[in-house]
Amino acid sequence: MATVDLDITYKQHSSLQQSSGIQQLVLAHQAEITEINNVPCFFWGNLTDPLTSSKCLLTLSKVVRSSFGPIPPSLRDPIVSAGTDQIRFEGFSSCNGVYARLDLLEDAIDGEFLASGTTNVDFNEPMLNALNAVKKTEKMVLGVGSKDVSISTDKGTVKEKKVTLPPRWIKGLTSVQLYLAGMEEKFRLNKIQVIQLFQAIPKGNVKGEFYLIQRANRFVLSPIASKDAVRIGGIQRLRLLEGILPYIQQLIVYQETNGESCSFVADFGNMRLTLSLSPDSYRGFSGEGNVLENMIQAVPDEWVMAVNSLLKSNELFDPTMLSIEHDVDFASMDTLTGSLSSIGLLGYDLAQQQHYYRRLPFKMERILSLNPRLKNAKRLLSTEAIEFIKKSPDYIEARVEGTGVKHTVIIQGDQSRCTCNWFTNHQGKRGLCKHILAVKMAAQS
């Protein structure tokens, strides 16, 4: 795993200022992309439901500041995408096992989009304390991007310090949407059912998985699997939503088709908060490696530039329409979709059941450098460590040099297996091993 950190120093500070009863929230931004930094402001306007918005932002911050694995809590900076009449806040827990996203829809905001873009934002204790004090009757103004130099509340001004964003935060963005895109809706819970469900969550740090099942008009948690049940690993992670329970209109539960990960979408009418859980507390989205196969074939720079000029942040990504409008064959568009997802340029909206475009606040080559299995596969390819035994369109058998041993790789249709320890331990559930990746790359070349 890469150990290099991405250090970011903000040139300006976020602020939450109160003047004549009006709260003005301005989120400072910083990116590796010069063009983004030259944009003084992406959005400026009112939040139509300041109380619910502040509770959701506090929940998102709670997710970002949490950790359910051996990695101590250290992250404090979710990212924000502004454009196409909505604003999305995204963040991961420090262990990368929990992903949260707040979607402020068109009816939740009343203002002007001055530019379209994505950047990471600065959250700090004084701002969170002020958000926690927001009342239903208050007016609140949100500005994304500012030249302000201080963080101000009614209690004073606080200077913001330098922050560090570790590579796993970036890798999480390139992985989680593949899980989301493979999910389907399982249950819908009303307000009463939501309260009943959270009252049934076991106290403390409970080990093992639980299963969400429906019995008549009630949803219960059971340690025993059954038909149509939703598996929830690390059940205590659901408690991250407790701060918004009184405001939820309905809770939609999704599960990945293989039953590994799940998502809970809290619907408030004019906004949605998505909480996605990795298969278990000790497994982070960033370490799964399911994106690696899509990264075998690099996306041509001109493709990315073309898409970037066509789409705005948060704009829905419709590959069929893009294929027809720009005369691109469907196979190439499928490759482009998978590749753009694997480098983090596409997110996935469960409610819309569609990808959306995200303009990243960091350079793409940084993402490509954070996948050691892919780099090791390329090294195997360059050292000619691969020997094909059989090679046909639907069956490949190869020998790959390992450390003091030769591994056998077999690829048959969509199935692949290897004799290495990685494949033996994970059986393909955490992405392809470097040997299978190398053989696939060699076969393509």
Side-chain angles (χ1 to χ4, degrees), residues 156-423:
T157 300
V158 179
K159 297 284 186 179
E160 179 60 28
K161 298 180 180 180
K162 179 180 178 180
V163 298
T164 300
L165 300 178
R168 62 184 180 278
W169 181 85
I170 303 174
K171 290 178 68 177
L173 286 177
T174 69
S175 303
V176 70
Q177 79 283 341
L178 290 182
Y179 288 88
L180 296 178
M183 290 184 180
E184 57 184 21
E185 182 180 325
K186 302 293 288 187
F187 302 125
R188 282 182 180 250
L189 286 68
N190 60 33
K191 294 175 71 73
I192 295 176
Q193 291 168 333
V194 170
I195 299 298
Q196 291 173 338
L197 171 63
F198 277 78
Q199 289 175 341
I201 297 177
K203 303 294 183 182
N205 188 7
V206 182
K207 295 183 179 181
E209 64 268 9
F210 276 77
Y211 297 87
L212 177 62
I213 58 178
Q214 184 174 9
R215 290 179 180 170
N217 196 37
R218 192 181 182 95
F219 292 88
V220 298
L221 295 167
S222 170
I224 302 173
S226 60
K227 184 180 179 182
D228 296 326
V230 172
R231 179 188 178 277
I232 306 174
I235 188 69
Q236 70 276 9
R237 297 181 291 177
L238 263 186
R239 293 195 176 278
L240 291 166
L241 295 178
E242 287 181 330
I244 58 173
L245 294 185
Y247 312 95
I248 296 176
Q249 295 183 9
Q250 64 174 339
L251 185 69
I252 305 99
V253 183
Y254 297 83
Q255 183 160 53
E256 195 183 8
T257 52
N258 64 8
E260 286 284 293
S261 57
C262 57
S263 291
F264 298 80
V265 179
D267 190 350
F268 306 92
N270 57 1
M271 66 188 78
R272 294 187 294 265
L273 192 143
T274 300
L275 187 82
S276 300
L277 305 179
S278 64
D280 293 289
S281 296
Y282 61 87
R283 289 172 61 177
F285 286 113
S286 65
E288 298 299 276
N290 288 348
V291 302
L292 294 177
E293 190 166 3
N294 289 334
M295 298 175 73
I296 291 176
Q297 183 174 347
V299 184
D301 290 343
E302 56 269 22
W303 286 22
V304 177
M305 292 175 63
V307 172
N308 197 55
S309 64
L310 285 171
L311 301 177
K312 299 178 180 179
S313 282
N314 296 330
E315 186 171 350
L316 292 180
F317 185 84
D318 190 333
T320 302
M321 289 302 299
L322 286 173
S323 296
I324 295 172
E325 291 176 357
H326 300 283
D327 195 24
V328 179
D329 65 87
F330 291 140
S332 297
M333 188 55 68
D334 287 342
T335 300
L336 177 62
T337 302
S339 298
L340 290 175
S341 295
S342 68
I343 59 176
L345 287 173
L346 296 182
Y348 193 81
D349 190 320
L350 284 167
Q352 298 276 356
Q353 289 289 295
Q354 199 166 345
H355 286 93
Y356 63 89
Y357 189 64
R358 178 197 291 122
R359 290 189 175 183
L360 292 177
F362 37 77
K363 298 177 182 178
M364 288 178 297
E365 53 263 33
R366 182 178 293 278
I367 302 172
L368 298 175
S369 69
L370 296 176
N371 293 279
R373 264 183 277 165
L374 184 62
K375 290 191 290 186
N376 290 335
K378 290 182 177 180
R379 188 178 299 115
L380 289 171
L381 194 64
S382 64
T383 57
E384 299 182 352
I386 303 167
E387 176 189 0
F388 284 100
I389 307 302
K390 295 181 181 179
K391 185 179 178 184
S392 65
D394 55 0
Y395 182 86
I396 294 175
E397 181 177 346
R399 303 283 188 271
V400 183
E401 292 285 350
T403 304
V405 66
K406 280 192 176 183
H407 297 292
T408 299
V409 171
I410 295 177
I411 301 173
Q412 190 169 12
D414 294 332
Q415 303 297 317
S416 55
R417 58 185 185 272
C418 179
T419 57
C420 71
N421 289 335
W422 175 270
F423 185 85

Side-chain angles (χ1 to χ4, degrees), residues 59-60 63 89-93 98-102 273-276:
T59 297
L60 183 68
V63 171
F89 292 84
E90 300 175 89
F92 290 89
S93 59
V98 182
Y99 165 76
R101 188 180 74 238
L102 171 62
L273 192 143
T274 300
L275 187 82
S276 300

Side-chain angles (χ1 to χ4, degrees), residues 3-257:
T3 58
V4 178
D5 285 345
L6 169 58
D7 293 331
I8 289 181
T9 302
Y10 291 96
K11 294 183 179 179
Q12 58 267 358
H13 304 277
S14 301
S15 64
L16 180 51
Q17 305 171 5
Q18 182 170 314
S19 177
S20 302
I22 298 177
Q23 299 277 0
Q24 295 184 334
L25 172 62
V26 183
L27 300 175
H29 70 272
Q30 171 64 20
E32 290 186 315
I33 311 300
T34 305
E35 290 78 4
I36 293 178
N37 289 326
N38 290 336
V39 177
C41 187
F42 291 145
F43 170 84
W44 181 267
N46 298 316
L47 296 182
T48 61
D49 188 348
L51 179 60
T52 305
S53 299
S54 62
K55 295 299 182 183
C56 287
L57 286 171
L58 288 167
T59 297
L60 183 68
S61 177
K62 187 178 179 181
V63 171
V64 171
R65 290 168 177 244
S66 66
S67 179
F68 299 91
I71 300 173
S74 60
L75 305 184
R76 301 191 176 187
D77 299 272
I79 64 169
V80 58
S81 298
T84 323
D85 296 327
Q86 60 184 306
I87 299 173
R88 302 182 195 265
F89 292 84
E90 300 175 89
F92 290 89
S93 59
S94 291
C95 60
N96 265 101
V98 182
Y99 165 76
R101 188 180 74 238
L102 171 62
D103 299 333
L104 294 177
L105 307 178
E106 188 173 357
D107 290 340
I109 48 183
D110 180 18
E112 183 178 0
F113 286 87
L114 305 177
S116 173
T118 302
T119 185
N120 67 290
V121 298
D122 171 28
F123 273 44
N124 49 73
E125 288 292 348
M127 181 190 299
L128 296 177
N129 291 337
L131 285 173
N132 200 37
V134 170
K135 299 178 181 179
K136 188 174 183 179
T137 56
E138 287 182 288
K139 184 177 180 180
M140 188 173 176
V141 177
L142 170 67
V144 181
S146 169
K147 293 183 178 180
D148 208 320
V149 294
S150 65
I151 301 169
S152 302
T153 68
D154 55 351
K155 296 181 180 179
T157 300
V158 179
K159 297 284 186 179
E160 179 60 28
K161 298 180 180 180
K162 179 180 178 180
V163 298
T164 300
L165 300 178
R168 62 184 180 278
W169 181 85
I170 303 174
K171 290 178 68 177
L173 286 177
T174 69
S175 303
V176 70
Q177 79 283 341
L178 290 182
Y179 288 88
L180 296 178
M183 290 184 180
E184 57 184 21
E185 182 180 325
K186 302 293 288 187
F187 302 125
R188 282 182 180 250
L189 286 68
N190 60 33
K191 294 175 71 73
I192 295 176
Q193 291 168 333
V194 170
I195 299 298
Q196 291 173 338
L197 171 63
F198 277 78
Q199 289 175 341
I201 297 177
K203 303 294 183 182
N205 188 7
V206 182
K207 295 183 179 181
E209 64 268 9
F210 276 77
Y211 297 87
L212 177 62
I213 58 178
Q214 184 174 9
R215 290 179 180 170
N217 196 37
R218 192 181 182 95
F219 292 88
V220 298
L221 295 167
S222 170
I224 302 173
S226 60
K227 184 180 179 182
D228 296 326
V230 172
R231 179 188 178 277
I232 306 174
I235 188 69
Q236 70 276 9
R237 297 181 291 177
L238 263 186
R239 293 195 176 278
L240 291 166
L241 295 178
E242 287 181 330
I244 58 173
L245 294 185
Y247 312 95
I248 296 176
Q249 295 183 9
Q250 64 174 339
L251 185 69
I252 305 99
V253 183
Y254 297 83
Q255 183 160 53
E256 195 183 8
T257 52

